[in-house]
């Protein structure tokens, strides 16, 4: 494949961003059904949450995100650029720790707690730009530093 007569090259940060955001998209798709289990059951929707249960799907989602952070740490550790290595590793340790600590405090019987955690996941990944009044992903702060 060529772009403007040159071979297309996918950088480490592009491959990383694609993989990480793909994991995040799967988690969001699975997680959004957790608080809706009652409605899904009433309307006969056989979501993963209905079939596997809230707790199992919740921990599958957390595990997938933590695996994505583990891969991110591995990518950071293998960086040849020392400042990129430190920022990537520390940034992902912080985000993974925030996610893990908050996940362990959730009452899965409380719909408001589940919804609050869903919004927390967006805040871990999704921040708000006060200047432009537009959202951006916290991960986007780290992705350009992946080398």
């Amino acid at each position: 494949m060529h772009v403007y007569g040159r071979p297309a090259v996918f950088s480490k940060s592009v491959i990383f961003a694609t993989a990480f955001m793909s994991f995040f998209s799967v988690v969001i798709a699975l997680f959004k059904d957790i608080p809706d289990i009652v409605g899904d059951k009433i309307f006969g929707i056989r979501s993963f949450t209905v079939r596997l249960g809230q707790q199992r799907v919740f921990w599958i989602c957390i595990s997938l995100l933590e695996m994505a952070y583990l891969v991110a740490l591995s990518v950071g550790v293998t960086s040849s650029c020392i400042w990129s290595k430190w920022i990537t590793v520390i940034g992902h340790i912080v985000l993974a720790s925030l996610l893990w600590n908050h996940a362990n405090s959730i009452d899965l019987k409380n719909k408001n707690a589940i919804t609050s955690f869903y919004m927390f996941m967006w805040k871990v990944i999704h921040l708000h730009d006060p200047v432009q009044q537009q959202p951006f992903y916290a991960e986007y702060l780290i992705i350009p530093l992946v080398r």
Side-chain angles (χ1 to χ4, degrees):
M1 179 188 323
H2 288 77
V3 177
Y4 296 118
R6 295 184 177 171
V9 177
F10 296 104
S11 68
K12 194 175 187 179
S13 62
V14 168
I15 294 167
F16 168 74
T18 303
F20 189 90
M21 291 306 172
S22 295
F23 263 82
F24 185 69
S25 298
V26 168
V27 168
I28 290 301
L30 291 172
F31 201 93
K32 71 175 183 57
D33 287 333
I34 294 173
D36 299 330
I37 191 168
V38 173
D40 287 353
K41 284 180 180 178
I42 290 170
F43 292 104
I45 299 170
R46 296 197 25 85
S47 64
F48 278 141
T49 304
V50 170
R51 288 186 270 163
L52 301 176
Q54 283 180 309
Q55 185 169 359
R56 185 179 238 174
V57 172
F58 178 83
W59 287 108
I60 287 170
C61 291
I62 299 305
S63 297
L64 287 172
L65 282 179
E66 292 293 344
M67 282 191 293
Y69 285 126
L70 185 61
V71 169
L73 288 170
S74 301
V75 169
V77 166
T78 63
S79 176
S80 59
C81 181
I82 194 72
W83 60 266
S84 172
K85 181 182 295 199
W86 281 104
I87 293 171
T88 305
V89 169
I90 291 170
H92 287 107
I93 287 172
V94 168
L95 292 175
S97 297
L98 285 170
L99 179 71
W100 185 257
N101 289 333
H102 200 65
N104 281 300
S105 67
I106 294 301
D107 175 11
L108 292 174
K109 305 264 187 252
N110 182 335
K111 184 176 179 174
N112 289 335
I114 296 168
T115 302
S116 175
F117 184 80
Y118 178 78
M119 296 312 295
F120 171 79
M121 278 194 326
W122 276 101
K123 289 174 188 171
V124 168
I125 305 298
H126 188 262
L127 299 174
H128 189 74
D129 179 354
V131 176
Q132 295 182 7
Q133 296 298 312
Q134 294 194 11
F136 65 96
Y137 292 100
E139 195 62 38
Y140 286 172
L141 296 173
I142 301 173
I143 289 170
L145 304 175
V146 173
R147 302 273 184 248

